[in-house]
């Protein structure tokens, strides 16, 4: 902390000038010792330099997205941890939002591309999950607007990958990504018929996914007009009702009351 504190008193041009040249060296030291991450955390948590260091770090990380392809490599878990740190700084300092905005397309498109090319796409998908969790919730309007043109190709990739992925854990991850896209409901309206499949898969998944599916369904029902949502659900309504009714069983992790409430809202409409 004392070592990192020396740099936080520098003005922005000097700080940026020093670390623009030293990011590769810093990363090499981080690979050798996880303790070095304390320095990065200190920079990202310091209001004087957080924005400048987040910009430098994102530029460096987006240039190394290809290293996420191999989960067994030394670089992949470190890169993922650094991305999570810089995403966390945006939640800590909302003024860092403009720093992420020019990198958003590179991160989403790069993660999608490398996930498609990797034998094990877990880490590129973990990166997308970390990004969605950080910018979701409607707090970052500029990022939502930046994400808008990325939505159609990304959703198409996730849905296509969901159909052919062999591992259940990866399929669950893809389902989660589909149901946590950082976009407002009004933006998702043209794609709700596609999102019915992830909802149905989530209702058969682990408790976290069941919770997500039930919350998503209830949100749609509460905020959309019946004349709009009923035709979207109609082709899958039988499957949906069966899976909701399955949640009424005593062994269904206590989701019965929520499932019953949703069934009541569907019947009432």
């Amino acid at each position: 902390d004392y070592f990192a504190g020396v740099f936080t008193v520098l003005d922005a041009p000097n700080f940026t000038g020093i670390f623009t040249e030293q990011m590769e060296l810093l990363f090499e030291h981080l690979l050798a010792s996880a303790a070095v991450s304390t320095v990065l955390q200190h920079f990202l948590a310091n209001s004087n330099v957080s924005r400048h260091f987040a910009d430098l770090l994102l530029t460096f990380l987006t240039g190394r997205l290809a290293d996420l392809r191999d989960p067994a490599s030394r670089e992949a878990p470190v890169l993922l941890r650094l991305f999570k740190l810089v995403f966390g700084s945006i939640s800590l300092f909302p003024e860092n939002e403009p720093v992420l905005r020019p990198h958003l397309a590179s991160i989403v498109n790069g993660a999608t591309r490398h996930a498609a090319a990797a034998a094990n796409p877990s880490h590129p998908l973990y990166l997308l999950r970390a990004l969605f969790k950080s910018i979701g919730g409607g707090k970052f309007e500029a990022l939502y607007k930046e994400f808008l043109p990325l939505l159609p190709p990304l959703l198409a990739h996730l849905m296509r990958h969901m159909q052919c992925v062999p591992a259940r854990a990866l399929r669950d991850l893809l389902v989660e990504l589909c149901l946590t896209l950082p976009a407002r409901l009004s933006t998702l309206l043209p794609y709700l018929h596609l999102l019915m499949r992830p909802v149905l898969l989530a209702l058969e998944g682990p408790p976290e996914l069941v919770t997500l599916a039930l919350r998503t369904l209830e949100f749609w029902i509460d905020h959309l007009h019946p004349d709009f949502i009923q035709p979207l659900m109609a082709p899958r309504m039988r499957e949906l009702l069966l899976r909701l009714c399955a949640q009424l069983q005593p062994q269904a992790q206590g989701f019965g009351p929520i499932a019953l409430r949703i069934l009541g809202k569907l019947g009432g409409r």
Side-chain angles (χ1 to χ4, degrees):
D1 284 349
Y2 288 119
F3 174 77
V6 171
F7 297 97
T8 59
V9 298
L10 296 174
D11 57 23
N14 283 322
F15 180 88
T16 303
I18 290 172
F19 285 99
T20 298
E21 303 296 327
Q22 301 300 328
M23 290 304 297
E24 189 68 43
L25 178 64
L26 198 58
F27 185 68
E28 291 299 325
H29 280 289
L30 186 57
L31 290 175
S33 173
V36 178
S37 64
T38 304
V39 176
L40 280 67
Q41 290 173 343
H42 190 98
F43 291 158
L44 291 170
N46 185 283
S47 58
N48 291 331
V49 300
S50 179
R51 180 170 180 169
H52 308 297
F53 190 69
D55 192 19
L56 291 173
L57 188 54
L58 280 170
T59 301
F60 175 78
L61 294 174
T62 51
R64 301 199 59 148
L65 282 171
D67 291 335
L68 291 173
R69 287 190 188 186
D70 182 9
S73 68
R74 289 193 311 158
E75 291 83 0
V78 175
L79 286 169
L80 190 59
R81 187 163 72 248
L82 292 179
F83 269 116
K84 289 179 179 179
L85 285 177
V86 74
F87 294 158
S89 76
I90 294 164
S91 300
L92 185 62
F93 298 111
E95 60 270 23
N96 285 10
E97 180 185 3
V99 173
L100 177 57
R101 187 175 180 182
H103 297 283
L104 188 64
S106 297
I107 294 171
V108 172
N109 292 332
T112 303
R113 184 173 65 255
H114 293 304
N120 181 349
S122 59
H123 277 57
L125 297 178
Y126 288 149
L127 172 58
L128 289 176
R129 180 169 67 178
L131 175 65
F132 292 178
K133 284 185 175 181
S134 297
I135 68 175
K139 296 182 294 182
F140 301 107
E141 190 63 36
L143 292 176
Y144 272 38
K145 291 179 180 178
E146 194 72 21
F147 185 78
L148 191 58
L150 306 175
L151 178 59
L154 173 61
L155 184 56
H157 168 82
L158 295 175
M159 297 296 293
R160 185 169 59 250
H161 210 52
M162 194 187 306
Q163 293 177 351
C164 59
V165 68
R168 176 64 182 267
L170 282 178
R171 193 190 74 172
D172 287 347
L173 179 54
L174 289 162
V175 168
E176 180 184 351
L177 291 174
C178 288
L179 298 183
T180 55
L181 291 164
R184 300 195 182 282
L185 182 58
S186 56
T187 303
L188 293 173
L189 291 181
Y191 312 104
L192 288 190
H193 66 290
L194 297 175
L195 293 175
M196 281 300 297
R197 174 170 167 76
V199 166
L200 292 170
L201 290 173
L203 287 171
E204 292 186 325
E208 298 79 10
L209 280 185
V210 176
T211 300
L212 180 59
L214 293 173
R215 190 169 68 238
T216 300
L217 267 176
E218 189 163 30
F219 184 77
W220 291 353
I221 294 168
D222 288 345
H223 291 85
L224 295 175
H225 194 277
D227 291 342
F228 180 84
I229 195 171
Q230 291 287 4
L232 293 177
M233 290 185 170
R236 314 300 292 266
M237 185 60 77
R238 176 177 170 79
E239 293 175 80
L240 178 61
L241 293 177
L242 287 173
R243 296 185 192 189
L244 286 173
C245 289
Q247 299 301 325
L248 302 179
Q249 302 299 320
Q251 68 272 22
Q253 300 288 334
F255 295 121
I258 306 172
L260 187 61
R261 187 169 68 238
I262 292 174
L263 286 168
K265 291 180 180 182
L266 286 172
R269 295 194 169 203

